[in-house]
Amino acid sequence: MRRSVLSLALVACCLMLPSVAEAGTSGTADVRPSSSYGAHDATGLIVSTDGELPEAVLRRISLLLGRDIVGQTPMGDSTVALRLDHTMPASSVRVLSNLLNLLPGVAHVSPDLVATSDSVPNDTYFPRQTNLWTPVPVSTDSGGEDPPAGPDFSMDAPTMWDATRGSKSVVVALVDGGLVAHPDLAKQTVPGYDLIADPRNSKDGDGRDPNAADPGNASTGTYCAAHASTWHGTHVAGIVAALRNNGIGISGIAPGVAIQPVRVVGQCGATMSDIIAGIRWASGGDVPGVPRNKTPADVINVSLSSNVADLKCPAAYQDVIDEARSRGAIVVVSAGNQSESLLNRTPANCQGVLSVGATDTKGAPTSYTNAGRTIGIMAQGGEVGPDEGIWSTVDAGTAGPVRPTYGQNAGTSMAAPAVSAAAALVLSLGHFTNDQVVQVLKRAALKPPEFGGYYTCISHDPTTGVERNVCGAGILNLASIPAPVGHPALQGGLTTGSTLSFTPGRWNGHPDSVTYQWLRDGTPIAGATTTSYVLAGADLGQTLTVRSTAHTQGYPDFSGLSAATVVPKATASVALRLSATRARVNTSRLYAYVTVTAAQGQSPSGTVGAYVDGRRVALVTLSLGRAQVRLPAFSTTGSHKVQMRYGGDSRVSYKWSSSVWVSVSK
């Protein structure tokens, strides 16, 4: 049944639900997070072989396992990964391994296990954030089979958290209502700005100023229709970057990134001119009378829209979006909540934006979302109904701030920040352009299901069979993005001629192939492109890493670095001989003869310092590992300590000689 849609005077694309909960209170639910695979399942095989397995062998493996092999990925060093069309118990693979090992070209077989995160967020409302993960019913002790899991149309954020939870160098600007103080957003921000030009709308006593705090956008009806405060900007902010694993509230999708509040929504909504100023300022452009943004945003979220009768993007909007994109920003906008064509709402109908519509938990468009052939992508936005919204951070006040709490909202306003957060996670993994990030999100999106009723993304003309798609690339999902997980450690000897190696790391998603490149202090080593490497003299004293790069059709390349290993310099030996060990005060000048040798076949170069009683008296340059130093005359009688210090070079460490004592008399 089609639900009616709330209509507010505000331009925010958010349907406010009157459900809030106090900060820190615990909620219980008979659901739990789950991955797509069981903890004891294998998604494929890891096979040691002399090269890619021929088709005949693959058919025999498939026959033994009772599964189709849908991909063969070289892993380097005579190892391939075989992907199965369906998972199977890892124990079954182990039972069959003796038979599999007898096949031609197969040296060893092991199950390709599913690795899961070692921690589940302890945020009290995380079990309710089913837009981030898909719930399955918890089994009971009453007997019978567990109920089957339904289709997964969440964004699967936890799968990406093993690769990254976001980088503080990535900034997501929220062109919205500003922020109210909240413990789940503490220390998550970089300085923003209040860009509401009209003091009557801003409610903070002035026009544009550096304070992006939300005083509450409630209206008494003096300037516009009366309504309570919505805390819209704060709700959007929590979806993006609420603190994770802090024991309270919710978890943001990208809890490691920085958010930047850009306040444009006041008690009477947001003017297009203020929104344009907000986008321009957020991207690093000049807004007259306002200091330039010192931390320009990588992603700009605009969960706002206005109606346009001519179905065209206003030129001023298009200009500022083009500006922001030229500075490298990704502009994500909500599609609107009018159950109509996306073309009726702006800036969602502008070129270059990533417009976002809303789906429900079953993958159908929500009752309110705008959509159409030009929409970019969909994401869960909640529905209008009890406990059907998206949980996030708000305040309990109906006018001004009272106390931080949590509440449910529904709308494309909630879907857009999910996409902005996902874009920020991708940016945290490498240097991607704004177009590449959009490419990744669209490529990874899930194809929506086809329903027979009105609410369906995909339908087919009953006469021609032509597909009708009003949901763009599909439904936001992060599970298949080929992102590197962890930093493999290098193992082996650390002297010249020794071999260093590493075990290839895990990837989120399934890359088509993976290549490797060893790096010396960040510079590629020619020819070092396998999982092992023999150390050379040039590596002494240098930092070695391996860059693994995933190549997957439809995606830009994703790369990850191993843990760094510093190769110690070769040790030196310094031999000192003096021309004499007795001298006359203020008269005799002795010669010191120095020989420096080094381990691992190295020829030391550099300088040698001569020290008398701990004070340097001369500095000379080695020649073929030798140096001669004429010491100054001794100015006092008694015993004096002479020592030489070799300063080291790029491959050989510094070293002191043994001490030689000189007896000085009158």
Side-chain angles (χ1 to χ4, degrees), residues 151 153 362-365 446-451 455-459 475:
F153 292 107
K362 297 179 181 178
L446 298 174
K447 184 175 181 179
E450 184 171 345
F451 297 103
Y455 294 107
T456 183
C457 286
I458 307 292
S459 61
I475 302 171

Side-chain angles (χ1 to χ4, degrees), residues 224-488:
C224 50
H227 61 83
S229 290
T230 61
W231 314 112
H232 185 271
T234 301
H235 196 276
V236 167
I239 293 171
V240 175
L243 290 167
R244 177 187 182 275
N245 220 38
N246 62 339
I248 62 169
I250 65 165
S251 174
I253 294 164
V257 306
I259 49 178
Q260 183 173 64
V262 183
R263 185 171 180 248
V264 298
V265 178
Q267 65 174 330
C268 298
T271 65
M272 191 170 85
S273 59
D274 286 348
I275 296 172
I276 288 171
I279 295 172
R280 180 167 286 128
W281 184 85
S283 67
D286 287 321
V287 176
V290 176
R292 188 184 285 267
N293 185 359
K294 294 182 179 179
T295 52
D298 303 283
V299 183
I300 301 173
N301 187 89
V302 186
S303 285
L304 309 166
S305 74
S306 305
N307 186 69
V308 283
D310 62 359
L311 309 184
K312 294 180 180 178
C313 172
Y317 257 146
Q318 192 61 65
D319 287 346
V320 77
I321 289 165
D322 291 344
E323 282 181 34
R325 282 178 43 78
S326 71
R327 298 185 187 105
I330 302 161
V331 183
V332 179
V333 302
S334 52
N337 303 332
Q338 290 71 37
S339 300
E340 61 187 17
S341 169
L342 174 80
L343 297 177
N344 292 301
R345 305 297 291 183
T346 197
N349 64 352
C350 297
Q351 295 293 315
V353 301
L354 181 55
S355 54
V356 185
T359 49
D360 63 18
T361 57
K362 297 179 181 178
T366 58
S367 60
Y368 54 80
T369 188
N370 296 339
R373 288 176 297 173
T374 61
I375 201 165
I377 197 169
M378 308 293 280
Q380 283 196 33
E383 258 294 6
V384 186
D387 294 322
E388 291 189 58
I390 303 297
W391 284 94
S392 190
T393 44
V394 292
D395 193 271
T398 57
V402 173
R403 62 184 178 278
T405 186
Y406 300 88
Q408 297 180 79
N409 293 340
T412 55
S413 275
M414 284 59 258
V419 173
S420 291
L425 289 177
V426 174
L427 284 170
S428 299
L429 290 166
H431 300 289
F432 298 109
T433 67
N434 45 17
D435 286 337
Q436 285 177 321
V437 173
V438 172
Q439 174 193 353
V440 168
L441 297 182
K442 288 185 174 183
R443 180 69 176 83
L446 298 174
K447 184 175 181 179
E450 184 171 345
F451 297 103
Y454 178 83
Y455 294 107
T456 183
C457 286
I458 307 292
S459 61
H460 287 81
D461 185 285
T463 304
T464 65
V466 174
E467 182 177 279
R468 173 182 174 268
N469 178 8
V470 296
C471 292
I475 302 171
L476 178 69
N477 188 270
L478 305 182
S480 63
I481 296 176
V485 175
H487 304 280

